[in-house]
Amino acid sequence: MLLAIDCGNTNTVFSIWDGEKFLCTLRTSTHHARTADAYFTWYSTLVKHYGIEVDITEVIISSTVPRVVFNLRVFADRFFGCRPLVVGKPECLLPQQPRVDADTQIGPDRLVNTAGAYDRHGGNLIVVDFGTATTFDVVGDDGAYEGGVIAPGVNLSLEALHMAAAALPHVDIAKPEHVIGTNTVTCMQSGVFWGYVGLVREICAQIKSERDRDMMIVATGGLAALFQQNEALFDAYEEDLTMHGLTVIHRYNKENTP
């Protein structure tokens, strides 16, 4: 079985793939100092709790936090006896090479989302990922990553507002009942929610205008479901797009590596 690991700036997700479906998905906070032993203790405790019988033989990793990769490699080698594929490393093949400026470092999560979205929806896409940052990735007709946009994430914006203005509280993001808030919390929630609706709509419109074509918009990430409530903002919502992309890249490497 395959263990797919996606390490983001905020959370790290482990998903077990049996070749046809994900058996379970486990989530923990990202911490660069977490050791291989600590990963295994957390992982094995949860797998036992869910009563899942698994034999992990392969591991693939995508990480936007370079410092955690070493301990995840040790984790895979020590406890599963395998050398993991790491997206973004030369030995990890991509279905299509990115078309960006020379020597540009592309976040592994963006490459994985591109592969997953193309596998499910074909090309000519805009992938909007609501993570620590809100990213917009352009997927070409042939599935190549062709660039995109990076904006501050929703929770990052809320935290910055709270930290910079002493009188403003920390609030959870939610869709307010009315645009005009009648207290501080609803004013902040309205500003962030409708502000990001406008940001997503306008950036996607500008991308379509620049490419002079209509494009399918695919959303993913923790807060995508909240914004999907707004009419006609996305064409599709994919909760597991990143994990699916990891299985796509893993399969491509198995089929194309001697």
Side-chain angles (χ1 to χ4, degrees):
M1 290 186 186
L2 172 68
L3 178 61
I5 303 175
D6 174 46
C7 179
N9 290 294
T10 304
N11 293 315
T12 297
V13 180
F14 286 41
S15 288
I16 299 172
W17 174 254
D18 70 358
E20 296 182 355
K21 62 185 182 298
F22 289 111
L23 299 181
C24 72
T25 295
L26 314 173
R27 187 180 300 268
T28 185
S29 59
T30 297
H31 194 324
H32 72 271
R34 183 171 284 126
T35 64
D37 291 352
Y39 277 118
F40 185 72
T41 299
W42 166 79
Y43 164 85
S44 59
T45 299
L46 284 180
V47 167
K48 182 178 180 180
H49 171 76
Y50 287 117
I52 301 171
E53 295 290 336
V54 293
D55 180 18
I56 300 298
T57 57
E58 298 170 290
V59 177
I60 184 168
I61 299 168
S62 168
S63 177
T64 59
V65 186
R67 288 191 293 176
V68 307
V69 174
F70 174 78
N71 283 329
L72 287 172
R73 282 182 181 271
V74 174
F75 164 75
D77 178 64
R78 179 177 298 167
F79 297 104
F80 305 121
C82 67
R83 179 181 177 83
L85 269 176
V86 180
V87 179
K89 299 297 183 182
E91 63 272 16
C92 183
L93 306 176
L94 298 174
Q96 289 290 346
Q97 288 302 306
R99 287 192 285 271
V100 294
D101 295 342
D103 300 321
T104 297
Q105 295 293 319
I106 306 168
D109 56 330
R110 307 181 80 177
L111 298 173
V112 171
N113 283 347
T114 295
Y118 180 73
D119 184 69
R120 284 182 170 169
H121 300 286
N124 195 36
L125 310 174
I126 302 171
V127 180
V128 185
D129 188 351
F130 290 87
T132 304
T134 300
T135 59
F136 301 74
D137 299 322
V138 175
V139 183
D141 291 330
D142 61 350
Y145 172 81
E146 296 187 334
V149 177
I150 301 174
V154 178
N155 285 316
L156 191 62
S157 295
L158 272 173
E159 189 65 26
L161 194 60
H162 167 63
M163 295 294 291
L168 295 180
H170 179 79
V171 300
D172 293 327
I173 179 64
K175 182 180 179 180
E177 186 175 351
H178 304 287
V179 175
I180 300 174
T182 54
N183 56 65
T184 301
V185 170
T186 57
C187 285
M188 292 174 66
Q189 288 175 331
S190 185
V192 171
F193 181 85
W194 291 111
Y196 270 85
V197 168
L199 179 144
V200 170
R201 185 170 285 148
E202 183 62 21
I203 287 179
C204 288
Q206 290 294 331
I207 291 173
K208 292 179 182 181
S209 176
E210 189 169 291
R211 293 177 71 87
D212 193 24
R213 67 178 74 174
D214 193 23
M215 303 174 73
M216 183 178 185
I217 303 172
V218 181
T220 191
L223 289 173
L226 172 65
F227 287 92
Q228 180 68 347
Q229 297 176 25
N230 197 58
E231 69 283 356
L233 196 57
F234 312 121
D235 298 305
Y237 163 58
E238 300 282 0
E239 182 179 9
D240 64 344
L241 184 65
T242 303
M243 307 315 292
H244 176 68
L246 283 170
T247 70
V248 171
I249 292 175
H250 176 264
R251 182 177 70 237
Y252 182 81
N253 278 264
K254 287 196 71 173
E255 293 172 350
N256 292 274
T257 303

